[in-house]
Amino acid sequence: QRHGAASFSRLLVSMKAVLFSLVLAALLAVSHAMMQPHAAAPLNSVCGLSVNGKHLDLTPLFAKNGSYLIHTKNYTYEIQVCANVKTSFPAKCTTPSPANEIDPTTGACTYLGDITTVAWDESPDKDGVYVTYYHGQLDGRVYHRMTRIYFMCNPKVELGEIVFEHETNRDQYHFAFPTKYACF
């Protein structure tokens, strides 16, 4: 009788081990599935993405001189692709950022995003992709500034002229960048 109880006890321990292994395997499978890329997952979060199995790499758009300068009536913007701006205004622009707004009258520099908080997606018109850099400088109220650059497919243009489109009432700065590198 006593010998049978020991066998039953070993059987229970063995069944618990099997059950634990099955639960662990299921948790690992769910975890792995959650980490798989979705339809618009970044290849690397700074410079490219994959949309529905088609890959884009925007590293050729990196400004070798440190940034692209965009002049408007009221401000100068500096933008970099795939990295932070190497600023033309080092005395004023001291926070690393992929985009800056410079007030030419006062020289004040506002950083418009953080390279480490970035999201990529296919453009709504399916004519390219856009990148959003979040967590720019606080606007003094409740919103952090952010930059959205629309890379629009133009198969005839390697590096088109970047255009400042507008600033929203929630401190989102929108730019358009036509380029062949945004074509699927």
Side-chain angles (χ1 to χ4, degrees):
Q1 190 77 6
R2 197 155 170 82
H3 188 64
S7 294
F8 182 71
S9 179
R10 281 193 303 270
L11 178 64
L12 280 177
V13 169
S14 179
M15 288 175 66
K16 286 180 182 178
V18 168
L19 183 60
F20 176 78
S21 296
L22 289 172
V23 169
L24 182 61
L27 287 172
L28 289 173
V30 168
S31 173
H32 179 71
M34 290 175 66
M35 293 183 339
Q36 292 304 305
H38 59 287
L43 290 175
N44 80 49
S45 62
V46 177
C47 216
L49 78 158
S50 176
V51 176
N52 298 323
K54 298 175 185 172
H55 305 290
L56 288 181
D57 178 11
L58 300 179
T59 53
L61 301 178
F62 177 81
K64 292 171 183 51
N65 66 349
S67 69
Y68 296 98
L69 290 176
I70 301 103
H71 302 283
T72 67
K73 180 181 175 187
N74 298 320
Y75 296 101
T76 296
Y77 296 93
E78 36 181 19
I79 292 192
Q80 180 57 285
V81 179
C82 307
N84 284 323
V85 164
K86 181 179 176 190
T87 185
S88 302
F89 308 91
K92 296 289 184 172
C93 298
T94 56
T95 301
S97 176
N100 292 321
E101 176 187 69
I102 297 92
D103 182 331
T105 307
T106 65
C109 179
T110 304
Y111 67 96
L112 304 179
D114 182 337
I115 196 79
T116 64
T117 52
V118 59
W120 288 92
D121 211 342
E122 186 174 18
S123 69
D125 295 329
K126 303 206 182 297
D127 61 347
V129 296
Y130 66 89
V131 61
T132 305
Y133 296 109
Y134 296 95
H135 296 292
Q137 190 168 325
L138 191 62
D139 71 356
R141 297 183 312 264
V142 293
Y143 299 110
H144 282 270
R145 290 171 173 86
M146 70 172 83
T147 299
R148 182 165 288 165
I149 305 170
Y150 292 89
F151 297 96
M152 301 174 318
C153 173
N154 185 334
K156 298 177 183 175
V157 177
E158 185 167 358
L159 301 172
E161 180 181 350
I162 302 173
V163 176
F164 173 74
E165 291 185 328
H166 64 277
E167 176 187 351
T168 70
N169 62 353
R170 296 254 174 115
D171 296 314
Q172 294 180 9
Y173 297 78
H174 291 238
F175 297 86
F177 192 160
T179 176
K180 70 180 185 180
Y181 297 107
C183 300
F184 289 104

